[in-house]
Amino acid sequence: MNLIVAWLLLYFVFAPCLVYGGDTLVVNEYLSGNQTLVSRAGTFEMGFFRPGYNKRTNTSQVITSWRSTVDPGPGLYSLQIDSIEKQYLLKWNKSVEYWTSGSWDGQKHIFALVPEMRLNYIYNFSYVDNDNESYFTYSMYNPEIISRFIIDISGQIKQLSWLDASQQWNLFWSQPQFCEVYARCGPFGACGENRLPFCNCLTAFEPRSPHNWDLSDFSGGCMRKTKLSCKAKEEKPGFILGYVPSRFFSSSENKTLLHNDESECRNFCLVDCSCYAYTFVSEQCHLWNDEGLSNVSLMLSDSNSQTFAINIKVSSSDTPTNASKINTKGFFQDFSVLCYFAALELYATEERKDKDVE
Ligand SMILES: *[C@@H]1O[C@H](CO)[C@@H](O)[C@H](O)[C@H]1NC(C)=O
Ligand SMILES: *[C@@H]1O[C@H](CO)[C@@H](O)[C@H](O)[C@H]1NC(C)=O
Ligand SMILES: *[C@@H]1O[C@H](CO)[C@@H](O)[C@H](O)[C@H]1NC(C)=O
Ligand SMILES: *[C@@H]1O[C@H](CO)[C@@H](O)[C@H](O)[C@H]1NC(C)=O
Ligand SMILES: *[C@@H]1O[C@H](CO)[C@@H](O)[C@H](O)[C@H]1NC(C)=O
Ligand SMILES: *[C@@H]1O[C@H](CO)[C@@H](O)[C@H](O)[C@H]1NC(C)=O
Ligand SMILES: *[C@@H]1O[C@H](CO)[C@@H](O)[C@H](O)[C@H]1NC(C)=O
Ligand SMILES: *[C@@H]1O[C@H](CO)[C@@H](O)[C@H](O)[C@H]1NC(C)=O
């Protein structure tokens, strides 16, 4: 039962209502389907939920990820219903939408953008929409099967089922892919779907909080190893490459200027102390300041073709000629989401390896 409490849970079958009489659970104590655990300050509640919209109170129940594996405080990712379109949305910091289920299709009994729901003999899905409320729910055709649906610290939603034989939770389904989660690796952190760990600091950057980074809390992101100093005359900054998924491209850019060509754009950024990155696409020079750049959701490579390369200004001592290891080192070529749990376990070891080669 400990295992269950270690996650922010929701289980659509039971309605929440009964509050457990405390804010602490000890070993061998457990919550039943209709109980929740409320933090002392009342800021968060744990238990089994059915996120939906209450038409009587005009409120929706939002499910939020934990902050890290050891901190159940509210993280940056949440799942909420869009009761008008009858769909679920995943949002970063309650603002940037990065995934949607698509609208409920009452004929096929699936969400439009989750075709996996179709071939299914395990879950009995339904969508309830009446005068009082609007929500999605499911039950198990075989009530012996124990299944749960969570949003975890990675910003992904996951359906897990309990395997009695191996006494483990088995990942049945998850969405979206790790690196499709907005700002997955924090400011200046770059996501690499084919590597372990998934989150990396770009060359010339290091984790802002190595402690949190080691706990898989990547939200703090990375920072420059060497601060850029515009005043030092001898400083000749260079650029390193990062990649931005095209659908997140416009959400953080600071300004766009028309310049004739790439080298003019580059030089403009090089000499402007407030410019920290540029890219030249579609005949346009896009520039970022440091604050805007910290909002950019970066990828490690352009393996996914729907990315734009951006050039990030770094100190000369950190230019790529010195260290470009991190962009070239591959780990797993083809990494399936089903291996995710193995990934978490391998993470600590691999992270140490990374530090050694730096
Ligand atoms: C809570 O659930 C338990 C079983 O899980 C049941 O015995 C009890 O009656 C439920 N209480 C309420 C108030 O629904
Ligand atoms: C909820 O919203 C509806 C329509 O916008 C409105 O008629 C109703 O008064 C609202 N109810 C509450 C409790 O705010
Ligand atoms: C999240 O949004 C709030 C404003 O709604 C802002 O103050 C905060 O800095 C944001 N968090 C991050 C990590 O950007
Ligand atoms: C599936 O769920 C619906 C709605 O909750 C219910 O009416 C129906 O009996 C369920 N079907 C089976 C086979 O359990
Ligand atoms: C809505 O709530 C009211 C009051 O609790 C109840 O009488 C009514 O049956 C509910 N309607 C539906 C469709 O559940
Ligand atoms: C854009 O950058 C300029 C300086 O280059 C700064 O003054 C301005 O506040 C920035 N705007 C935003 C939205 O970051
Ligand atoms: C960064 O994102 C946050 C949250 O969406 C937003 O409030 C803030 O204005 C953004 N900053 C810039 C410079 O775009
Ligand atoms: C490489 O890094 C060292 C210090 O780590 C620095 O002294 C040197 O100038 C750098 N070389 C280049 C070409 O940037």
Side-chain angles (χ1 to χ4, degrees), residues 76 92-93 95 219 295:
L76 282 167
W92 175 82
N93 203 15
S95 58
S219 59
N295 265 9

Side-chain angles (χ1 to χ4, degrees), residues 92-93 95-96 182 251-254 289 291-295:
W92 175 82
N93 203 15
S95 58
V96 180
Y182 183 77
S251 58
S252 55
E253 172 193 5
N254 179 269
N289 65 5
E291 193 206 334
L293 188 59
S294 71
N295 265 9

Side-chain angles (χ1 to χ4, degrees), residues 14 17-18 32-35:
F14 298 107
C17 54
L18 205 75
S32 62
N34 49 17
Q35 289 180 316

Side-chain angles (χ1 to χ4, degrees), residues 11 48 54-55 94 100-101 112 155 196 206 295 308 349 354:
Y11 189 24
F48 301 91
N54 184 329
K55 294 182 186 176
K94 306 253 157 75
T100 170
S101 65
L196 277 180
E206 61 195 359
N295 265 9
F308 288 109
T349 341
D354 266 4

Side-chain angles (χ1 to χ4, degrees), residues 52-61 81 131-134:
Y53 186 73
N54 184 329
K55 294 182 186 176
R56 302 229 151 224
T57 56
N58 289 349
T59 51
S60 54
Q61 186 159 45
I81 194 171
D131 292 346
N132 295 336
E133 48 188 349
S134 179

Side-chain angles (χ1 to χ4, degrees), residues 22-35:
D23 58 16
T24 314
L25 278 187
V26 299
V27 176
N28 293 331
E29 242 187 317
Y30 61 89
L31 296 172
S32 62
N34 49 17
Q35 289 180 316

Side-chain angles (χ1 to χ4, degrees), residues 2-196:
N2 263 5
L3 235 183
I4 294 191
V5 178
W7 297 80
L8 175 68
L9 306 175
L10 53 119
Y11 189 24
F12 292 117
V13 174
F14 298 107
C17 54
L18 205 75
V19 172
Y20 173 81
D23 58 16
T24 314
L25 278 187
V26 299
V27 176
N28 293 331
E29 242 187 317
Y30 61 89
L31 296 172
S32 62
N34 49 17
Q35 289 180 316
T36 63
L37 190 66
V38 180
S39 70
R40 212 162 291 172
T43 39
F44 60 90
E45 186 174 0
M46 275 197 323
F48 301 91
F49 296 100
R50 189 166 61 191
Y53 186 73
N54 184 329
K55 294 182 186 176
R56 302 229 151 224
T57 56
N58 289 349
T59 51
S60 54
Q61 186 159 45
V62 175
I63 309 267
T64 303
S65 66
W66 280 28
R67 199 172 286 148
S68 76
T69 48
V70 294
D71 182 353
L76 282 167
Y77 301 107
S78 51
L79 178 75
Q80 67 184 72
I81 194 171
D82 166 4
S83 58
I84 307 293
E85 299 295 331
K86 292 189 181 176
Q87 62 181 346
Y88 282 85
L89 307 173
L90 281 173
K91 288 190 177 180
W92 175 82
N93 203 15
K94 306 253 157 75
S95 58
V96 180
E97 183 187 314
Y98 61 92
W99 183 83
T100 170
S101 65
S103 294
W104 177 253
D105 181 334
Q107 302 269 302
K108 295 183 184 145
H109 274 240
I110 62 167
F111 286 107
L113 300 179
V114 192
E116 308 91 284
M117 289 172 84
R118 201 175 297 150
L119 292 166
N120 147 58
Y121 46 91
I122 299 172
Y123 302 96
N124 179 11
F125 300 120
S126 54
Y127 194 99
V128 175
D129 189 27
N130 59 34
D131 292 346
N132 295 336
E133 48 188 349
S134 179
Y135 61 88
F136 165 77
T137 186
Y138 66 75
S139 58
M140 313 303 295
Y141 288 125
N142 176 358
E144 307 252 294
I145 297 177
I146 298 174
S147 180
R148 65 200 178 109
F149 179 88
I150 61 164
I151 173 166
D152 87 356
I153 54 163
S154 68
Q156 294 167 296
I157 45 176
K158 293 176 176 172
Q159 185 78 51
L160 306 146
S161 47
W162 180 251
L163 286 186
D164 229 7
S166 55
Q167 294 284 297
Q168 275 178 350
W169 288 103
N170 179 45
L171 183 62
F172 186 78
W173 174 85
S174 113
Q175 278 286 320
Q177 283 198 37
F178 192 91
C179 291
E180 288 170 357
V181 173
Y182 183 77
R184 183 63 197 87
C185 301
F188 304 110
C191 200
E193 198 80 64
N194 299 330
R195 315 170 29 87
L196 277 180

